[in-house]
Amino acid sequence: WQGRSAGSPIRFTPEDARYLEKAIPDLRGVSVEFISPSVPIEWRGVSSNIRLHGVDPIYQHIRRFPVQSGGRFLNRLDSLQRRRVAFLGDEVKERIFGEEEAVGEEIKLFGTPFTVVGVLKSKTTISNYEGQDRFKVLIPAPTFKVLRGHRWVSYMLLWLPTLDDDERLLKETYRVLGERHGFDSDDKKAIGVMNHVEIHRRVHSIVGSTRVLLFGVTGFGFLVSLVGVANVMFVMVEERRKEFGIQMALGARPAVILWDRLVEGILITVG
């Protein structure tokens, strides 16, 4: 298509993200993400290796990153001024700082000083990729680009207005990027896509089906228990018919005898 063979991978730059935001007004925003998988981090003689990610401020809203009190996420000025500031995953903070306060401290990444501005609040998520978020360090994307010299982004993350817009806006994204980079919008192999909305739908469907199955199993088990108790009560009544006859002959009312059997059945069920 336009001289490009089907399935040829397309690589993107931060300029493509800005173009997408303008070309598709329905998008609430787009964040780029650069990744360097093994980066040395140092603080007062303590060192480790972490995953370094360069992102835009809107990344926090797209990924729903909660921030520990006393800190903040990367902001617009950090990106515009290419500040050397860092946001730490909670596990990175524990590994490097332990019980010490991290916000405001100076760390070194590749030997370059960075100021810690915030720490991730521990969270549970099924949308991790490229490792767990708690083991990552995030810096402004423009700072990452200057520091590492990367031209191509690892990912572009789209912030949708609603979860129901994923298929429509994904199709529109293929169209816009296809026109910009000269590939067929129907060529799904040109761009690798992870649709986390669809992943969540599948997970919720599995969870819902599991709940229905558990309710069904529980109901069936309860029914089996009732049948078992009913059988026991039937046998007891049959074996004690003579006893009941004597009680009624002595003046016992049928309602009293029935009540005694009901209480006995309840005690057997609870036991």
Side-chain angles (χ1 to χ4, degrees):
W1 198 82
Q2 292 188 2
R4 184 184 295 274
S5 60
S8 299
I10 309 297
R11 305 177 75 179
F12 300 108
T13 66
E15 289 72 26
D16 290 308
R18 307 290 78 84
Y19 183 83
L20 266 181
E21 289 177 326
K22 294 179 180 179
I24 309 179
D26 285 347
L27 287 176
R28 298 183 67 181
V30 180
S31 173
V32 301
E33 183 172 15
F34 294 99
I35 299 177
S36 191
S38 183
V39 174
I41 179 174
E42 300 177 31
W43 177 75
R44 296 184 184 177
V46 180
S47 63
S48 183
N49 284 329
I50 50 89
R51 300 184 68 89
L52 184 64
H53 294 239
V55 301
D56 292 320
I58 203 172
Y59 184 90
Q60 178 187 15
H61 303 289
I62 299 174
R63 294 294 318 284
R64 297 180 181 178
F65 265 31
V67 182
Q68 292 185 16
S69 60
R72 65 171 177 83
F73 195 73
L74 310 174
N75 62 33
R76 185 168 174 270
L77 283 178
D78 294 333
S79 292
L80 289 176
Q81 298 177 6
R82 299 177 183 175
R83 291 174 178 172
R84 294 179 178 178
V85 291
F87 182 86
L88 310 184
D90 52 309
E91 183 63 29
V92 175
K93 185 269 178 189
E94 292 299 322
R95 185 188 303 174
I96 300 299
F97 291 91
E99 298 299 322
E100 297 288 334
E101 179 62 47
V103 175
E105 290 293 321
E106 185 179 275
I107 60 174
K108 287 187 177 181
L109 301 170
F110 291 112
T112 302
F114 279 76
T115 301
V116 178
V117 295
V119 177
L120 177 68
K121 188 175 181 179
S122 181
K123 68 187 182 85
T124 301
T125 179
I126 61 172
S127 59
N128 284 317
Y129 61 96
E130 297 290 345
Q132 298 183 46
D133 296 328
R134 58 199 184 108
F135 294 109
K136 301 174 182 177
V137 172
L138 278 56
I139 65 175
T143 307
F144 185 104
K145 186 177 179 181
V146 170
L147 180 68
R148 302 298 297 148
H150 289 198
R151 178 184 179 189
W152 311 110
V153 301
S154 302
Y155 295 98
M156 288 194 298
L157 291 79
L158 311 184
W159 189 12
L160 309 181
T162 69
L163 297 182
D164 294 331
D165 291 320
D166 61 316
E167 293 184 3
R168 176 178 66 84
L169 290 180
L170 185 58
K171 184 176 181 180
E172 185 69 3
T173 299
Y174 271 103
R175 182 190 66 78
V176 170
L177 292 178
E179 292 176 354
R180 180 173 171 84
H181 287 276
F183 67 88
D184 189 347
S185 60
D186 292 327
D187 182 7
K188 305 307 179 185
K189 293 183 179 181
I191 307 176
V193 174
M194 286 193 295
N195 188 342
H196 287 284
V197 175
E198 181 62 28
I199 293 174
H200 277 278
R201 284 200 190 103
R202 292 179 182 178
V203 171
H204 289 162
S205 176
I206 293 172
V207 171
S209 300
T210 302
R211 286 176 177 171
V212 171
L213 178 61
L214 289 176
F215 278 126
V217 171
T218 302
F220 180 74
F222 183 68
L223 180 61
V224 170
S225 298
L226 287 179
V227 171
V229 172
N231 286 335
V232 171
M233 293 300 298
F234 178 78
V235 173
M236 290 175 58
V237 170
E238 285 296 313
E239 291 179 346
R240 298 169 65 181
R241 290 175 64 182
K242 184 176 181 180
E243 176 186 338
F244 299 153
I246 294 174
Q247 289 178 345
M248 294 180 67
L250 293 175
R253 290 179 297 176
V256 174
I257 297 175
L258 178 60
W259 176 254
D260 289 342
R261 303 292 74 75
L262 288 175
V263 172
E264 190 174 3
I266 292 173
L267 292 175
I268 292 174
T269 303
V270 173

